[in-house]
Amino acid sequence: MLKQVLRSKRGEGYLDIVVGVLCLMLVVALAVSFLPVFTAKQQLDLFAAEIVRQAEITGGTEVSGRVATMRAQTGLDPEIVWECDYFRGNKVQLDGELSVTLKTTVDVSFFFFGPFQVEIQAKASGKSEVYYK
């Protein structure tokens, strides 16, 4: 009797569908757990572009206000590293190169695995638009 039940192919399609749906749900769960990394990367790129643009307009001064605004908007608190040739103090002369690198970490976990920290970084560059005498 048990041999006949095991040899029978009835209901095999249903079992295949259940296993397929289970695999699909695991893939969707994995994608949803990694989605915050991509969102944070996009926000970090925007953050870098915005503060470089502010530095271009002001010649490297008065960027801290824009940094605070972007931290509040994105919810990120990245490490900020500036690379530029200063004219005097924190002023960058007209056509002076500005470059910023932002680094932060995002926690990723999948069910009971994790949390893992993924480091993301964004870079942006530009040129100063202010002339200092």
Side-chain angles (χ1 to χ4, degrees):
M1 172 83 175
L2 186 58
K3 249 184 186 178
Q4 279 182 334
V5 172
L6 292 175
R7 285 188 184 170
S8 173
K9 299 291 183 183
R10 291 177 52 193
E12 185 176 332
Y14 294 115
L15 187 59
D16 290 342
I17 290 174
V18 168
V19 170
V21 168
L22 180 65
C23 291
L24 179 68
M25 290 301 162
L26 285 173
V27 169
V28 168
L30 181 66
V32 168
S33 69
F34 279 104
L35 186 64
V37 175
F38 297 112
T39 305
K41 173 64 174 152
Q42 184 178 10
Q43 289 178 339
L44 200 63
D45 288 339
L46 176 68
F47 195 126
E50 289 286 326
I51 64 173
V52 163
R53 183 63 188 143
Q54 181 71 28
E56 288 174 344
I57 293 170
T58 62
T61 62
E62 302 174 20
V63 179
S64 59
R66 188 66 181 151
V67 169
T69 302
M70 291 304 295
R71 280 186 173 147
Q73 285 180 355
T74 61
L76 298 173
D77 188 21
E79 173 189 338
I80 302 172
V81 178
W82 288 95
E83 295 174 17
C84 49
D85 295 325
Y86 292 109
F87 177 62
R88 273 188 312 226
N90 61 348
K91 299 176 181 178
V92 179
Q93 188 60 278
L94 181 66
D95 266 350
E97 290 286 330
L98 296 163
S99 178
V100 67
T101 304
L102 280 68
K103 292 181 185 178
T104 190
T105 57
V106 178
D107 290 332
V108 176
S109 61
F110 185 65
F111 294 121
F112 55 87
F113 301 109
F116 303 107
Q117 292 198 348
V118 177
E119 184 176 301
I120 55 175
Q121 81 176 30
K123 292 183 179 182
S125 61
K127 292 187 173 214
S128 175
E129 299 175 3
V130 179
Y131 177 72
Y132 293 103
K133 294 181 181 185

